[in-house]
Amino acid sequence: MFSALARPAGAALRRSFSTSAQKNAKVAVLGASGGIGQPLALLLKNSPLVSRLTLYDIAHTPGVAADLSHIETRATLPDCLKGCDVVVIPAGVPRKPGMTRDDLFNTNASIVATLTAACAQHCPEAMICIISNPVNSTIPIATEVFKKHGAYNPNKIFGVTTLDIVRANTFIAELKGLDPARVNVPVIGGHAGKTIIPLISQCTPKVDLPQDQLTAVTGRIQEAGTEVVKAKAGAGSATLSMAYAGARFVFSLVDAMNGKEGVVECSFVKSQEADCGYFSTPLLLGKKGIEKNLGIGKISPFEEKMIAEAIPELKASIKKGEEFVKNMK
């Protein structure tokens, strides 16, 4: 079921959610009636950067669309993927206590393969932003599906890892008594457990932490998703913070597509920056997606060790995604 909404005039979420509105974007949310999809659609509906918002899900979409359509902003709802500039995919099942992101693979792999195939056919030029876990496998799935349809562009497929950055900024700000809106911690690697590598040595403003605090806050950033899963006690995973982070990434992308310069976000993408085929690093975004991969930069021995430990897990997750598409009927 799909529905469509139109463009909003609304508040920016954070300093980085700016509103350079030379061109209004057509955005689709696939998985719009879920725990992430609903608040994400609300944030997108409330942005002056979005001129058309289309919603798709397998159930309850007309209700979500009817609800959003009453908001006094000007985003509208037509054919879901046709003419889209940006497609955001939060579709899939959430984690429950005791589950890893990888436990979601069997269900979410098929969902992502089906939805990205539709994107490759109906909006091959769109920016594809994937939230569905396990991101370390769903991005390789999207890549292989786009290749199968002859529509692959490595500069336009993004694994949304922004929540890791948002969490790192928040936790470091709490530790040091700083304003989280002024803290920026690049987070590289992947989007699961020990593949999440916060580069606290590159934090702006510069922060000094003793090794025990550094180890503890790094572990908290890596396991923050599990912290929420446990706190929700079976009622789902991070949805509101993920919607916020997803909206932040989309707004940054649309700003860059509109010609704003110097827009940088970390994202899990096809990469040659580490010894595996995909890796998250800071990316300079531009009118056509990734303008430049800014790479890993100068890091500490502690961070070097984390990268070395993450690579085998990343390689296995990537291979799992690629094999899934190879073996698809």
Side-chain angles (χ1 to χ4, degrees), residues 18 23 38 111 129 136 140 197 256 283 285 297 309-312 321:
S18 79
K23 174 178 180 285
Q38 288 197 42
I111 292 169
C129 307
N136 294 356
I197 303 162
L283 307 171
L285 302 174
E309 287 171 357
I311 296 294

Side-chain angles (χ1 to χ4, degrees), residues 247-262:
R248 168 180 150 169
F249 185 80
V250 171
F251 297 151
S252 289
L253 192 53
V254 173
D255 268 340
M257 289 162 71
N258 284 345
K260 184 177 177 183
E261 293 183 3

Side-chain angles (χ1 to χ4, degrees), residues 196-266:
I196 297 168
I197 303 162
L199 299 183
I200 294 167
S201 71
Q202 293 182 15
C203 177
T204 51
K206 188 164 172 43
V207 295
D208 287 313
L209 297 173
Q211 188 58 48
D212 60 337
Q213 263 195 343
L214 184 61
T215 304
V217 76
T218 297
R220 189 180 175 206
I221 293 161
Q222 291 175 329
E223 294 304 324
T226 305
E227 190 180 301
V228 177
V229 169
K230 283 181 180 166
K232 288 194 173 181
S237 56
T239 53
L240 302 174
S241 52
M242 185 61 247
Y244 169 88
R248 168 180 150 169
F249 185 80
V250 171
F251 297 151
S252 289
L253 192 53
V254 173
D255 268 340
M257 289 162 71
N258 284 345
K260 184 177 177 183
E261 293 183 3
V263 180
V264 175
E265 290 283 359
C266 295

Side-chain angles (χ1 to χ4, degrees), residues 87-254:
V87 179
V88 198
I89 307 181
V93 294
R95 284 200 289 162
K96 295 209 161 60
M99 288 174 85
T100 65
R101 288 179 180 89
D102 200 50
D103 292 334
L104 306 174
F105 183 88
N106 291 339
T107 304
N108 290 0
S110 304
I111 292 169
V112 169
T114 303
L115 295 176
T116 51
C119 294
Q121 289 167 292
H122 300 291
C123 54
E125 295 299 313
M127 306 289 173
I128 309 297
C129 307
I130 297 176
I131 292 170
S132 312
N133 273 316
V135 165
N136 294 356
S137 299
T138 55
I139 299 308
I141 287 171
T143 294
E144 297 306 314
V145 167
F146 266 76
K147 281 182 184 171
K148 270 191 171 180
H149 287 85
Y152 176 56
N153 180 340
N155 296 325
K156 292 188 171 187
I157 296 178
F158 302 91
V160 180
T161 61
T162 317
L163 183 51
D164 299 325
I165 292 89
V166 166
R167 285 168 167 158
N169 294 347
T170 303
F171 299 164
I172 293 292
E174 280 172 5
L175 259 185
K176 302 301 281 185
L178 300 167
D179 173 0
R182 308 233 169 273
V183 175
N184 184 36
V185 181
V187 181
I188 65 166
H191 183 59
K194 70 179 183 188
T195 71
I196 297 168
I197 303 162
L199 299 183
I200 294 167
S201 71
Q202 293 182 15
C203 177
T204 51
K206 188 164 172 43
V207 295
D208 287 313
L209 297 173
Q211 188 58 48
D212 60 337
Q213 263 195 343
L214 184 61
T215 304
V217 76
T218 297
R220 189 180 175 206
I221 293 161
Q222 291 175 329
E223 294 304 324
T226 305
E227 190 180 301
V228 177
V229 169
K230 283 181 180 166
K232 288 194 173 181
S237 56
T239 53
L240 302 174
S241 52
M242 185 61 247
Y244 169 88
R248 168 180 150 169
F249 185 80
V250 171
F251 297 151
S252 289
L253 192 53
V254 173

Side-chain angles (χ1 to χ4, degrees), residues 18-34:
S18 79
T19 53
S20 61
Q22 296 101 302
K23 174 178 180 285
N24 305 132
K26 299 179 180 76
V27 180
V29 178
L30 310 185
S33 66

